[in-house]
């Protein structure tokens, strides 16, 4: 009898889930709105119902399901299967999520942070599948991250690790966590947009303003790169600073973890080699002992929005 696992990627907007076979291939998937304003029990019940729906859709014998993995945003106690706190989900404080879903399904349930799951998915089935170790940084509204070593997620203690809230510049830009100068405050897409808006205001003749059609509320993470590639000096300075800050963060991850590869995900990563080539060179120049140790390359994650649910499904076998 072939063996299957189920992965769930819980977000503030949608619950996504999929069925994986033993080769970590996604056989089918489905989603439904989270309804994050509801009590957590109602959301958890919907997650369990979605699993049952997918098992039926895939035509899988329930006895062949080895278990369910869940990726959840927030502060997670993976060993206890509890969500300690999630600001994306109303009222989620010390929620026994794994136990609740497991009781509803009669299946083992494993829980981890959503960024950890994305990292695991990429390491086992995506851009780092040729590597046993990887660090993933997600460059979105904030900066999240996950670390995989020997094919397993490094969870840390209760609450896990927050790679985006390591210090980059002391007394720097305010961060959402309450500190100043965090990686998130300089390397997120939000930070890139903030700096591009500042540059556009300081230089009304900049192409940054033209590409926004004069409305700086339309600034996004693509416009600074487009303007820089067109030769705009203000945009070029914004992109150069962003790459330098991100390069410093990546070098820190390399010096701490020494992974075989560093992965980047998020909307900014649509820039491809325009992003990865200078970052790989930055690592080559500045990572500790780089003249004597081959530094890891920087790559773009490839699984897109499926990374989290694929990685969640892999939790069943990787804990």
């Amino acid at each position: 009898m072939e063996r299957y696992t189920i992965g769930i990627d819980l977000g503030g907007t949608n619950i996504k889930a999929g069925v994986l076979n033993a080769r970590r291939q996604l056989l089918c998937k489905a989603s439904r709105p989270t309804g994050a304003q509801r009590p957590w029990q109602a959301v958890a019940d919907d997650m369990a119902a979605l699993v049952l729906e997918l098992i039926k859709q895939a035509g899988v014998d329930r006895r062949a399901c080895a278990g369910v993995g869940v990726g959840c945003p927030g502060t997670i106690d993976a060993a206890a299967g509890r969500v300690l706190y999630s600001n994306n989900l109303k009222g989620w404080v010390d929620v026994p999520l794994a136990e609740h879903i497991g009781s509803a399904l009669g299946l083992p349930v494993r829980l981890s942070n959503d960024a950890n799951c994305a990292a695991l998915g990429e390491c086992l089935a995506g851009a780092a599948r040729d590597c046993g170790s990887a660090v993933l940084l997600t460059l979105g509204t904030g900066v999240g991250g996950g670390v995989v070593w020997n094919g397993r997620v490094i969870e840390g203690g209760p609450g896990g690790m927050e790679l985006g809230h390591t210090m980059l510049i002391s007394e720097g830009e305010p961060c959402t966590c309450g500190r100043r100068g965090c990686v998130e405050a300089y390397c997120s897409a939000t930070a890139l947009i903030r700096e591009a808006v500042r540059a556009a205001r300081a230089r009304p003749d900049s192409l940054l303003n033209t590409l926004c059609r004069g409305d700086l509320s339309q600034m996004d993470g693509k416009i600074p790169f487009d303007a820089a590639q067109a030769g705009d000096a203000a945009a070029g300075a914004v992109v150069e600073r962003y790459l330098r800050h991100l390069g410093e963060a990546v070098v820190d991850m390399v010096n701490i973890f020494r992974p075989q590869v560093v992965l980047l995900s998020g909307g900014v990563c649509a820039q491809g080699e325009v992003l990865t080539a200078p970052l790989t060179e930055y690592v080559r120049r500045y990572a500790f002992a780089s003249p004597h140790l081959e530094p890891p390359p920087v790559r773009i994650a490839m699984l897109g929005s499926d990374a989290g649910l694929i990685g969640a499904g892999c939790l069943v076998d990787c804990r």
Side-chain angles (χ1 to χ4, degrees):
M1 180 182 294
E2 188 163 0
R3 187 173 178 276
Y4 302 90
T5 61
I6 313 292
I8 302 175
D9 184 8
L10 175 61
T13 303
N14 292 302
I15 303 165
K16 297 182 291 184
V19 178
L20 279 66
N21 63 18
R23 295 174 297 283
R24 299 176 179 129
Q25 296 170 320
L26 190 59
L27 302 182
C28 63
K29 60 181 180 178
S31 68
R32 62 177 55 179
T34 303
Q37 301 303 308
R38 300 179 297 158
W40 71 263
Q41 293 90 341
V43 176
D45 288 343
D46 276 359
M47 295 166 72
L50 187 57
V51 169
L52 295 176
E53 176 185 314
L54 277 168
I55 289 174
K56 183 177 180 180
Q57 179 181 332
V60 170
D61 187 328
R62 188 167 169 180
R63 294 170 298 177
C65 290
V68 177
V70 179
C72 179
T75 303
I76 309 299
D77 185 339
R82 304 180 79 90
V83 182
L84 301 181
Y85 169 70
S86 179
N87 63 336
N88 291 335
L89 302 163
K90 183 180 179 181
W92 284 54
V93 177
D94 199 21
V95 170
L97 187 61
E99 179 183 1
H100 188 96
I101 296 174
S103 295
L105 295 174
L107 291 170
V109 177
R110 301 288 180 264
L111 177 66
S112 190
N113 176 268
D114 54 353
N116 285 345
C117 290
L120 185 61
E122 291 288 350
C123 206
L124 297 181
R129 61 185 177 275
D130 57 335
C131 302
S133 62
V135 173
L136 170 71
L137 292 176
T138 61
L139 311 176
T141 303
V143 174
V147 182
V148 175
W149 196 263
N150 291 331
R152 295 176 182 269
V153 170
I154 298 178
E155 295 284 0
M161 297 183 293
E162 290 290 344
L163 303 184
H165 296 289
T166 52
M167 183 62 63
L168 186 62
I169 297 176
S170 180
E171 299 301 318
E173 293 286 342
C175 183
T176 57
C177 71
R179 297 172 79 199
R180 301 182 72 94
C182 290
V183 165
E184 180 171 299
Y186 287 92
C187 300
S188 62
T190 305
L192 174 61
I193 292 167
R194 178 195 69 223
E195 293 304 306
V197 167
R198 286 177 178 173
R201 286 175 176 156
R203 291 284 300 274
D205 61 333
S206 169
L207 186 57
L208 290 166
N209 289 290
T210 304
L211 294 180
C212 286
R213 298 180 180 179
D215 181 3
L216 294 182
S217 69
Q218 300 303 308
M219 186 70 73
D220 58 26
K222 181 174 182 292
I223 287 174
F225 282 93
D226 288 348
Q229 287 174 23
D232 184 79
V238 169
V239 169
E240 191 276 332
R241 283 195 305 273
Y242 179 76
L243 290 175
R244 187 172 68 251
H245 290 144
L246 184 54
E248 290 291 342
V250 170
V251 167
D252 282 349
M253 296 301 110
V254 170
N255 287 347
I256 294 167
F257 297 109
R258 281 290 166 182
Q260 291 173 270
V261 64
V262 176
L263 301 176
L264 304 176
S265 68
V268 177
C269 297
Q271 299 302 319
E273 288 192 3
V274 173
L275 192 68
T276 59
L279 290 174
T280 296
E281 178 58 26
Y282 202 92
V283 172
R284 185 175 298 277
R285 290 180 63 190
Y286 295 113
F288 186 78
S290 56
H292 310 288
L293 294 172
E294 182 65 25
V298 180
R299 298 178 187 168
I300 301 298
M302 62 180 290
L303 296 179
S305 61
D306 289 337
L309 65 88
I310 291 173
C314 294
L315 285 174
V316 176
D317 299 316
C318 297
R319 294 284 290 279

